[in-house]
Amino acid sequence: MPHPLGNAPSKIIAVHLNFRSRAKERGRTPAHPSYFLKPPSSLAGTQEVIVRPRGCQLMGFEGEIALVIGSRARQVRPEDGWRHVRWVTAANDAGVYDLRYADRGSNLRSKGADGFTPIGPRLLDATELDPGALRLRTWVNGEPAQDDTTDTLLFPFGELVADLSRLVTLEPGDVILTGTPAGASVVEPGDVVEVEVGDGRLSTGVLRNPIASAEHDLEPWGAQPRTDRAEEESAYGSTYVPEPLLDEALARGLRSVAVATISAQLRRRGLPHMSVDGVHPATRGTRMVGVAHTLRYLPLREDLFEKYGTGMNAQKRAIEELRPGHVLVMDARRDTSAGTLGDILALRAQQRGAAGVVTDGGLRDSAAVAALGLPVFHGGAHPSVLGRRHVPWDTGVPVACGGALVQPGDLMVGDDDGVVVVPPELGGELIADCREQERQERFITEQVAGGESVDGLYPLGPAWRDAYENWCKGENSEVP
């Protein structure tokens, strides 16, 4: 099939984030555009099949507006950038998330395979278009998937051309993929992706590309497809529906019993060191049940803070890795003389669906955090930022929080008495034993309130067993 541009461009440049809707979906808004390169060999035309490598499961589509440079651009100003665009057309910035890990940052194998940049079918004359009044639409199997307009761009087209031309000479025929709006997701072999760009008068026509599976295995040399929950969430975008981290019946059961009771039952099983010592709730009356996701801080080293403590550091990554039902557990070495969480990151954790946060370090903005309603347990309030004492180091590793060993996937239960760590395999049996213990304690409380001595009564001794059994048969025997 003839090349969609006639001759191959010297380069294809793709923008990571540009539509406000996509930035909101991703949970971050960049201050400046960022880019990656796709090889010219990835170009394809309409009706050409996009082939998903065998072994990959996360074939992503991204409807985009493609700009084709018409005249050489070197160090142009933003107000002059659009003049260097000759054509506008539709594009699909396709890729497989299963290989992103292999070229983190460059996207070479995940986005650069042959046929992964279909464009067309028609080129629109840029001089006849208002770059701020274009509409981009994408369909999958005839169903709308994306619909957005260029008046919502973070970085207008002229600004992209100017920004790139500061250091990179744009040659005639070069292609700029200008970012995708919200709604990009995953497609399967047999699906059909269609993209159209227009302004109400002019249209590129519909770029149509079927999805197929490769007929042979990916060769064994080199990186093989690999994925995890974070990549799945990134691939599916707003359509991602994760499996629940915690069975709802188990969660209800753990909420129905006191942390003090759980602690007693763990001790009876030979696990006396499961409490997270020294933490208390930011808001009284807090109940928390969730699954641990961990973050580890190390002591401050000024020469390493620039590398590990700034930008999208482990603290921020941990927040963005949270899934609904997660409890973020922070190991700050029980050092409460610096903050490990503030109101903005607590809000983001809440938006991510977190079930709570536990830190044995300090809490900044404590009143604002308490007002959020997110269960937060902390070692103490402190006004300083983490750089005073801590370097955020890594996530998803076993940590020591408040003297307790916490592994990713452990159950975390908290109330006004504090927080305990529950091994996942013990959750179900603990609930039944905790309920029985609390029923006995209600009986004992009634007897003590009636004037009985605790001798032989608390804990429940043989002399009171028959009385307790009879009491259980009455109205007061209902288990909450």
Side-chain angles (χ1 to χ4, degrees):
M1 185 172 183
H3 196 284
L5 292 177
N7 295 309
S10 69
K11 49 191 167 292
I12 302 169
I13 303 171
V15 182
H16 281 112
L17 280 176
N18 200 12
F19 278 90
R20 295 186 187 278
S21 61
R22 182 66 161 177
K24 182 178 180 181
E25 189 178 69
R26 286 292 195 237
R28 58 188 176 90
T29 301
H32 307 285
S34 62
Y35 313 94
F36 61 94
L37 290 170
K38 300 188 76 169
S41 55
S42 69
L43 279 175
T46 191
Q47 302 296 341
E48 291 193 62
V49 174
I50 300 174
V51 178
R52 186 182 76 179
R54 187 172 290 183
C56 292
Q57 301 298 321
L58 302 178
M59 178 86 233
F61 70 88
E62 296 181 8
E64 303 206 10
I65 298 171
L67 312 180
V68 182
I69 298 298
S71 60
R72 195 169 188 264
R74 172 67 175 164
Q75 295 180 342
V76 302
R77 298 180 61 82
E79 57 267 29
D80 298 324
W82 181 247
R83 299 176 189 172
H84 292 267
V85 178
R86 180 67 183 92
W87 307 105
V88 173
T89 191
N92 182 356
D93 181 16
V96 282
Y97 285 76
D98 315 62
L99 290 172
R100 280 215 307 179
Y101 79 95
D103 299 300
R104 183 62 67 183
S106 77
N107 292 332
L108 178 60
R109 278 169 284 194
S110 63
K111 288 273 194 172
D114 292 354
F116 273 22
T117 313
I119 65 172
R122 290 194 289 274
L123 301 175
L124 302 181
D125 188 338
T127 63
E128 298 184 23
L129 300 171
D130 177 354
L134 299 178
R135 183 184 185 187
L136 167 67
R137 290 185 291 173
T138 307
W139 298 264
V140 176
N141 300 328
E143 295 295 325
Q146 296 178 288
D147 192 344
D148 214 329
T149 52
T150 52
D151 59 350
T152 69
L153 292 179
L154 296 170
F155 312 108
F157 294 151
E159 185 176 328
L160 295 177
V161 173
D163 179 36
L164 287 165
S165 74
R166 293 186 307 158
L167 298 168
V168 176
T169 299
L170 299 176
E171 302 287 357
D174 285 351
V175 176
I176 303 174
L177 304 180
T178 58
T180 196
S185 190
V186 172
V187 284
E188 301 287 339
D191 291 340
V192 176
V193 180
E194 297 173 308
V195 186
E196 181 183 17
V197 174
D199 67 354
R201 299 179 305 109
L202 303 173
S203 169
T204 62
V206 175
L207 172 68
R208 187 177 190 275
N209 297 99
I211 309 299
S213 180
E215 296 180 354
H216 59 86
D217 292 336
L218 194 63
E219 287 75 6
W221 48 89
Q224 295 300 303
R226 189 180 78 192
T227 188
D228 54 29
R229 286 174 175 169
E231 291 291 13
E232 288 178 5
E233 183 176 357
S234 185
Y236 280 95
S238 59
T239 66
Y240 181 63
V241 182
E243 295 182 5
L245 289 171
L246 185 59
D247 178 75
E248 183 54 36
L250 178 58
R252 284 197 306 269
L254 290 171
R255 289 190 195 99
S256 73
V257 294
V259 164
T261 310
I262 295 173
S263 180
Q265 288 297 324
L266 288 169
R267 181 173 56 82
R268 291 180 183 178
R269 288 164 170 78
L271 297 170
H273 306 298
M274 305 300 282
S275 61
V276 179
D277 294 341
V279 302
H280 58 274
T283 307
R284 301 297 293 179
T286 293
R287 299 290 303 227
M288 178 188 75
V289 175
V291 177
H293 179 57
T294 58
L295 166 64
R296 182 171 62 137
Y297 294 102
L298 292 182
L300 176 64
R301 252 185 63 174
E302 289 81 356
D303 61 320
L304 294 177
F305 192 82
E306 179 68 24
K307 179 178 180 180
Y308 290 97
T310 59
M312 196 64 183
N313 59 30
Q315 179 198 43
K316 294 175 182 176
R317 291 199 307 272
I319 295 290
E320 293 300 327
E321 290 165 357
L322 292 173
R323 294 177 53 199
H326 264 146
V327 171
L328 179 56
V329 182
M330 298 179 173
D331 172 7
R333 311 172 316 283
R334 305 197 203 188
D335 187 343
T336 61
S337 61
T340 56
L341 180 76
D343 59 342
I344 293 176
L345 292 185
L347 174 61
R348 181 58 182 160
Q350 186 179 53
Q351 291 178 333
R352 296 284 299 166
V357 179
V358 180
T359 175
D360 61 2
L363 175 67
R364 298 181 70 231
D365 313 309
S366 56
V369 171
L372 289 176
L374 174 72
V376 174
F377 293 80
H378 62 97
H382 201 282
S384 78
V385 295
L386 62 89
R388 182 170 184 262
R389 287 283 186 264
H390 309 297
V391 181
W393 200 259
D394 49 10
T395 70
V397 296
V399 298
C401 184
L405 170 59
V406 182
Q407 296 190 99
D410 281 340
L411 306 181
M412 307 298 296
V413 187
D415 64 16
D416 284 345
D417 281 347
V419 177
V420 292
V421 185
V422 177
E425 64 274 10
L426 295 182
E429 66 181 69
L430 275 178
I431 294 169
D433 290 347
C434 285
R435 286 174 169 170
E436 172 58 23
Q437 178 181 330
E438 291 186 351
R439 176 158 36 182
Q440 290 184 17
E441 290 177 355
R442 289 198 303 275
F443 168 76
I444 293 167
T445 298
E446 285 189 18
Q447 309 314 309
V448 172
E452 296 290 347
S453 168
V454 295
D455 184 23
L457 175 62
Y458 183 57
L460 192 69
W464 283 95
R465 180 60 61 177
D466 289 344
Y468 170 66
E469 296 294 340
N470 288 330
W471 177 86
C472 287
K473 296 176 183 177
E475 292 183 352
N476 292 332
S477 63
E478 293 184 5
V479 178

